[in-house]
Structures are given as C-alpha cells and as structure tokens.
Amino acid sequence: DANTVFIRTILQAYKLDHCFDEVISNHAHYDSSGALRVLPYHKHPPPHSCPLCPPNLCKGSVITKMQNEKIFRRVIYLGDGAGDFCPSCKLRG
C-alpha cells in the first residue's frame, strides 16, 4: 500500500513537497533497525462501514471530513485505482 514515507520521498525528489499541506495515506516510519513500518491510517476496528474501501483507509470518509471542516480552500484528489471510486464520489464543487 501507499504510505507517507513513499509519497513524501517522491514529492521531495520532484521538489513538489511545498505544494501540499498534508499527505493522507497509511502512516509509515523507519524503525531502529532501518525497516520501513507501515501502519493503517484508520485504527482497527475500522471506523467506517464503507463496502468500497479496505479496512485500513476509507478515503471517502477523509474527503467528507475535510469538506465539512472547511480547513482547506481547495481539495485536490489524486488516485489511480479501484480504491479511488469512493472518494471520487464524495468530491463536490
């Protein structure tokens, strides 16, 4: 699965990290032995009942929360797979 370490590394390599306020993905970090540890975005049990999303992350619930809290002036969503259908349905103009 995608994770914060991979995404931030790619954004930094292309000097795009300054373009994003937040990266929402599975949390990741390197442990003391240097191994990459990936943790689910949502803690178990999953706090959603979305049949379209895997238990580790309902992207649609994250989009809805961001829109309801009106933290961001604009939400840009990027996705390339079947797991991106749910959040795409939640976007509004």
Side-chain angles (χ1 to χ4, degrees):
D1 279 347
N3 62 72
T4 53
V5 169
F6 287 167
I7 294 170
R8 286 189 181 123
T9 300
I10 292 167
L11 292 174
Q12 289 169 354
Y14 287 95
K15 298 182 179 20
L16 294 171
D17 52 317
H18 69 280
C19 297
F20 297 88
D21 292 321
E22 186 174 2
V23 171
I24 298 171
S25 186
N26 294 303
H27 301 290
H29 67 277
Y30 290 101
D31 68 14
S32 59
S33 70
L36 181 65
R37 300 292 177 192
V38 180
L39 306 170
Y41 181 83
H42 294 303
K43 305 297 182 232
H44 292 283
H48 67 83
S49 58
C50 180
L52 301 173
C53 294
N56 62 306
L57 175 55
C58 176
K59 298 173 186 178
S61 69
V62 174
I63 293 287
T64 299
K65 181 180 179 207
M66 290 170 63
Q67 290 172 331
N68 289 342
E69 292 177 356
K70 298 181 177 156
I71 296 171
F72 302 104
R73 183 182 58 157
R74 181 178 305 153
V75 174
I76 298 171
Y77 182 81
L78 304 172
D80 65 353
D84 299 307
F85 181 71
C86 174
S88 297
C89 292
K90 305 289 184 183
L91 293 170
R92 57 183 185 236

